[in-house]
């Protein structure tokens, strides 16, 4: 089993597709299993362009029911059916998501043979659930309509086993070593007692991805992002358009950088970028954000980001 | 005013988008005004790639409510709104189309500021209406769910005015010539009577586009296609898969060619091509169809076809 956690930025644009940016979708892979955050129109084509098979997607998290975040969902669900999917798929989102999907099913716009589980998340409270390898926290953000932010938190991993030292202490291969790795002390045949701390390093913390779009900078978003590895945050506008950001329930790149700094995130990804900006303007936005929070990235569509596990001293 | 009538084959594939074929959409232009037949997911991106501005689309005809024919519609309508459209748009289709769009509007998945007119067409009868420059005939096809075929019939154009002969007969410029062109006899100042037939050729027939997908070959489709200029017909499968075509309510390329021949169409476009076929298999399908009906075309996405006006002897 590999320890890979990667993000593929399928669609990084806002509202209207532009020649440079598609509609909203983030794909997350952990050890061959995929999940999506949002599913703008065209997602199924762009997954295929990134060699991400719909059959490998286990979970889809939906932030809110604006078209640029969900109009790719019915087509993707239908394609999974036509590819003869049999394993379950879980959709996560606001209660209206279930209403929408059930309506499409009732009117035979969607006819699915595989189990579709819809997990309705509350709009007024922080909620914790388990989704595959991730503990998921959802929280209500601050947008024009009800909208959820998500934190995907990997479990911690046991510390590294010091094999050379185990050799030196003549600890046999097999159950003894396994017990130590599982945190249990052992007594060897010669009577020596060995504690796990002698051979096993500190547990390695799980990684965390936080997806906060569409939203004003808000307390709930900051709470989700606390000490996370990667924060993907609404950055629809540049700092000069901050009034427009406020009016439309979005954030500027500068506001996203300030929130990332306050939350102690390790990496910020500027997200949901308006099609109005030129590449030069995007570069200027990124530089201004970097003055506040240096580990900032404004990705192009299809960019791939590997999330390393943090080293423990 | 130009006399252009062109077809742009935006998406020529069936059911699932393949790397070579997108989902169903035909764009039709007459003198700068556009209409669409069907609107599969991604239509708005591919219109933009063909420099077709959503603002120039006046009518959208929907054949039936299968996802590969309509899941691009909500996104396109939303984009028209974001581009601040003000002029009306007319949607044509089965009654369920109105139910779908009204549901999206009621749940604020679509919020439109421009007038959206939904023309509900009957599922059990042939219907005639007017849509911009076209007389539209709809008729129920033979698919797994209710599905409409469309004939778009241009008006005939007055015959060509013989300007050299008018000069010879010393017919003054202005109202006299206009009257002749409008089919009325005139009396000149010197008492000569001139009949329009002396100077104006036979009226030039309007052109006709027939869109029949998804469907088995059927009487209604043949009726729509009678003597048409271009017949775009379901050809999901090759002749070897004729049982599958029958089971799924589609046609083979051979069946489409037979229907085009019976109907006396001038040009057949094989349409809604399954992604299962290689380019070589498609070529073989086309050759077999051409043995039955020579003026056959199996288009690639984005191909552009100019429809000439027929010459009258």
């Amino acid at each position: 089993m590999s320890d890979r956690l990667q993000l593929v930025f399928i669609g990084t644009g806002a509202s209207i597709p532009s020649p440079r940016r598609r509609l909203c979708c983030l794909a997350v892979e952990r050890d061959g299993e995929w999940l999506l955050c949002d599913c703008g129109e065209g997602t199924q084509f762009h997954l295929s362009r990134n060699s991400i098979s719909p059959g490998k997607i286990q979970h889809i998290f939906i932030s809110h029911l604006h078209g640029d975040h969900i109009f790719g969902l019915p087509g993707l669900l239908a394609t999974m059916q036509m590819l003869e999917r049999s394993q379950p798929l879980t959709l996560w989102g606001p209660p209206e998501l279930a209403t929408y999907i059930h309506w499409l099913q009732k009117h035979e716009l969607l006819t699915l043979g595989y189990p579709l589980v819809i997990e309705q998340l509350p709009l007024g409270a922080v909620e914790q659930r388990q989704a595959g390898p991730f503990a998921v926290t959802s929280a209500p953000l601050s947008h024009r309509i009800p909208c959820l932010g998500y934190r995907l938190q990997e479990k911690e991993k046991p510390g590294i086993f010091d094999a050379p030292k185990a050799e030196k202490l003549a600890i046999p291969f097999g159950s003894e070593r396994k017990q130590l790795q599982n945190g249990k002390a052992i007594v060897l045949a010669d009577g020596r007692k060995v504690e796990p701390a002698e051979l096993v390093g500190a547990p390695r913390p799980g990684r965390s991805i936080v997806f906060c779009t569409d939203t004003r900078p808000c307390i709930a978003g900051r709470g989700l992002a606390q000490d996370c590895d990667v924060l993907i945050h609404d950055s629809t506008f540049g700092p000069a358009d901050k009034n427009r950001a406020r009016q439309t329930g979005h954030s500027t790149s500068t506001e996203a950088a300030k929130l990332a700094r306050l939350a102690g995130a390790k990496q910020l990804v500027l997200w949901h970028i308006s099609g109005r900006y030129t590449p030069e303007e995007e570069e200027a936005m990124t530089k201004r954000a970097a003055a506040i929070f240096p580990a900032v990235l404004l990705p192009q569509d299809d960019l791939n980001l590997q999330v390393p596990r943090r080293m423990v001293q």
Side-chain angles (χ1 to χ4, degrees), chain A:
Chain A
M1 197 168 94
S2 97
D3 194 37
R4 186 167 59 189
L5 178 63
Q6 69 165 326
L7 311 182
V8 183
F9 303 121
I10 300 292
T12 60
S15 310
I16 308 188
S18 77
R20 294 200 298 114
R21 299 195 179 276
R22 303 179 196 131
L23 296 176
C24 192
C25 177
L26 167 72
V28 178
E29 185 216 350
R30 191 178 168 285
D31 293 336
E33 289 197 5
W34 290 86
L35 62 84
L36 302 182
C37 296
D38 283 344
C39 193
E41 184 178 350
T43 290
Q44 60 171 327
F45 318 142
H46 310 130
L47 289 174
S48 136
R49 191 172 302 192
N50 281 281
S51 304
I52 301 171
S53 157
K56 294 193 171 159
I57 297 168
Q58 310 292 326
H59 299 270
I60 302 178
F61 295 86
I62 297 294
S63 61
H64 67 302
L65 270 70
H66 272 155
D68 56 329
H69 297 255
I70 54 154
F71 283 159
L73 186 57
L76 178 59
L77 299 182
T79 289
M80 287 173 169
Q81 172 61 22
M82 282 182 280
L83 296 174
E84 298 181 355
R85 182 185 184 106
S86 59
Q87 85 266 37
L89 175 75
T90 308
L91 297 185
W92 304 78
E96 290 81 357
L97 177 64
T99 314
Y100 177 44
I101 299 297
H102 291 150
W103 192 90
L104 292 173
Q105 290 182 303
K106 187 181 154 201
H107 290 78
E108 293 177 40
L109 282 165
L110 265 185
T111 310
L112 305 179
Y114 56 89
L116 183 71
V117 181
I118 307 184
E119 295 284 356
Q120 303 185 37
L121 295 166
L123 293 173
V126 173
E127 181 87 357
Q128 293 207 320
R129 304 279 186 94
Q130 192 70 31
F134 294 107
V136 176
T137 309
S138 69
L141 300 178
S142 171
H143 191 44
R144 302 197 302 278
I145 64 167
C147 183
L148 294 170
Y150 294 99
R151 181 184 180 112
L152 308 175
Q153 176 69 52
E154 207 186 21
K155 272 191 283 193
E156 66 175 24
K157 205 178 169 183
I160 293 167
F161 187 76
D162 189 341
K165 192 171 174 189
E167 189 105 359
K168 223 149 98 184
L169 294 178
I171 298 173
F173 286 91
S175 65
E176 285 88 349
R177 291 190 181 207
K178 259 198 194 130
Q179 281 192 55
L180 286 168
Q181 280 171 307
N182 288 333
K184 290 178 191 157
I186 55 166
V187 179
L188 295 173
D190 59 11
R192 278 181 296 146
K193 188 173 177 191
V194 184
E195 293 290 338
E198 294 176 55
L199 284 158
V200 182
R204 287 162 289 174
R207 289 159 289 190
S208 45
I209 313 292
V210 176
F211 185 75
C212 281
T213 200
D214 295 354
T215 189
R216 292 284 304 141
C218 65
I219 300 280
R222 186 181 152 186
L224 287 174
Q226 195 65 42
D227 294 323
C228 71
D229 287 276
V230 184
L231 168 60
I232 293 117
H233 198 281
D234 184 325
S235 167
T236 308
F237 296 104
D241 293 319
K242 66 181 175 186
N243 287 336
R244 199 166 165 77
R246 197 175 300 127
Q247 285 154 13
T248 57
H250 289 292
S251 303
T252 68
S253 43
T254 304
E255 289 168 335
K258 284 180 186 164
L259 189 137
R261 189 175 65 184
L262 285 170
K266 298 292 161 289
Q267 167 80 51
L268 169 64
V269 176
L270 301 177
W271 190 254
H272 200 260
I273 310 295
S274 168
R276 74 189 61 206
Y277 302 116
T278 63
E280 293 69 30
E281 287 169 326
E282 288 179 357
E283 204 184 317
M285 280 161 63
T286 313
K287 273 192 185 154
R288 281 196 57 175
I292 298 162
F293 184 84
V296 64
L297 170 72
L298 193 160
Q300 302 305 310
D301 285 352
D302 294 334
L303 187 87
N304 183 308
L305 182 72
Q306 304 291 324
V307 185
R309 219 176 254 279
R310 290 188 215 179
M311 297 311 291
V312 182
Q313 303 307 320

